[in-house]
Amino acid sequence: RMPDESVSAASAVFATYVGRQAPLTAQAVQRLLPNRRALQTALSQFSSAVRYDHGRLLPTARAVLAVLATDPLAASLRVDLAVNALPGDELAQLIMDMATAHELHADALATAEQTLANGAQQLSEEEWAQLEATLAASADRYVRRLAVTALVMQSHDAHGWTDERQARLRAYRADPATLVASAAQFTFTPMEIGADT
C-alpha cells in the first residue's frame, strides 16, 4: 500500500541477492503477476540489479522471463528485462518469438527500443552485429525497426560509422515499411551532418 516502501524493499532484496535462488525468485514473480503495481516495482528493481551484476543474475533472469512469457499483458516488462539481461543471440530469439506471438506491440516495441538505446547492457561488438543481422532478416517490421536501433548502438563504438554500417543504414532507409524507413532516414551520420553545414 505504500509505494515508496515497496520500492525500497525490492531494491534491498535485489541489492543483496546473489543469484542462487532462481526458482524461488521465479515463484515470487509468479505470485506477483496479479498485482500489477508490485510486479512492475519488483521487475524494475530486478532489471537494475541485472544491469550491474549480469553474470550472476542471468539464470534468475531466464527463470523470471519464463514466468513473464505466460502473461501476454506483461510484454513490455518482459522485453525490458530481456534487453537488460540476455546475451545477443537469446535476445534476438526472444524478440522474434514475441513478434510471432503478436506480443511485440507498440508499447513493447517502444520499451525495447528505449532500453536498447540506453545501452542497458554491454554487448560485445560481435554480439551487436549479430543481433542486428538477425533482426534485419526478419519479415516483421517491428523486429526490423529494432535492427535500426542495434545499428545505431554499434556506431557508438571506436569504429563509428564505417562504410559498411553506412551501407546498412542506406538499406534501412529504403525499407518498404515506413516504421523502419522513417527511423533510418532521420538517423544522420557525422559525415552527413558535416556535409549539411
Side-chain angles (χ1 to χ4, degrees):
R1 296 179 183 176
M2 304 180 76
D4 289 345
E5 289 188 10
S6 295
V7 170
S8 296
S11 179
V13 166
F14 292 118
T16 58
Y17 176 66
V18 293
R20 295 185 185 142
Q21 299 293 337
L24 290 178
T25 304
Q27 289 172 18
V29 170
Q30 179 74 50
R31 288 193 299 272
L32 287 178
L33 284 177
N35 186 337
R36 297 315 208 183
R37 187 172 65 181
L39 179 67
Q40 185 177 43
T41 298
L43 288 177
S44 173
Q45 296 304 311
F46 183 58
S47 286
S48 295
V50 167
R51 198 175 299 138
Y52 298 109
D53 195 1
H54 182 262
R56 286 193 298 179
L57 298 184
L58 181 56
T60 301
R62 288 179 176 134
V64 170
L65 286 166
V67 170
L68 294 176
T70 67
D71 184 353
L73 298 181
S76 293
L77 297 175
R78 182 179 172 206
V79 77
D80 179 68
L81 177 58
V83 171
N84 278 305
L86 295 180
D89 57 342
E90 290 182 50
L91 176 59
Q93 188 61 56
L94 181 137
I95 288 170
M96 292 187 300
D97 289 347
M98 289 182 70
T100 299
H102 305 290
E103 294 175 354
L104 191 62
H105 50 67
D107 288 339
L109 174 66
T111 298
E113 180 184 8
Q114 181 178 6
T115 309
L116 278 171
N118 287 340
Q121 63 167 308
Q122 297 299 315
L123 294 179
S124 69
E125 183 178 331
E126 294 77 19
E127 283 181 300
W128 275 117
Q130 185 57 52
L131 175 64
E132 182 210 342
T134 302
L135 299 181
S138 174
D140 188 285
R141 62 194 174 115
Y142 279 31
V143 175
R144 295 197 311 279
R145 174 64 186 83
L146 292 175
V148 176
T149 305
L151 174 63
V152 172
M153 291 305 296
Q154 290 172 74
S155 75
H156 297 313
D157 69 17
H159 304 292
W161 282 102
T162 63
D163 290 343
E164 182 182 347
R165 289 173 182 169
Q166 291 179 66
R168 295 204 303 272
L169 180 60
R170 287 191 294 272
Y172 291 127
R173 288 173 176 173
D175 194 282
T178 302
L179 182 71
V180 180
S182 61
Q185 289 187 18
F186 288 94
T187 297
F188 305 109
T189 68
M191 292 69 75
E192 292 171 322
I193 293 170
D196 292 340
T197 57

